[in-house]
Amino acid sequence: METKTHKPSTRNQLAKLYGVSPETFKKWLVKIPDLSLDTGYRVLTPKQVGIIIKHLGEPSD
């Protein structure tokens, strides 16, 4: 089983990839149970990005 590593990313970058506003993306993030977010950090870790993609699915190109 292959594990994909994800790049660190900001919330705004991910919102853009998913085609939604940053406000909508923030609402989605609070509904992800396994995701712990520090409000002081601007960049999401690769682990956090992986959890988000696992929950929301791969963003469309």
Side-chain angles (χ1 to χ4, degrees):
M1 187 163 145
E2 186 179 325
T3 23
K4 184 176 179 182
T5 51
H6 302 282
K7 295 180 182 178
S9 194
T10 66
R11 294 174 192 159
N12 286 343
Q13 289 170 329
L14 287 175
K16 191 173 184 179
L17 284 176
Y18 280 98
V20 297
S21 71
E23 293 80 18
T24 298
F25 192 69
K26 185 178 178 181
K27 290 176 186 177
W28 290 359
L29 292 182
V30 297
K31 294 180 181 180
I32 300 175
D34 299 335
L35 186 62
S36 60
L37 296 174
D38 275 331
T39 54
Y41 292 100
R42 298 181 76 117
V43 178
L44 299 168
T45 66
K47 182 177 180 179
Q48 290 170 321
V49 173
I51 292 169
I52 292 167
I53 291 174
K54 181 180 176 185
H55 187 77
L56 298 177
E58 289 285 336
S60 57
D61 293 332

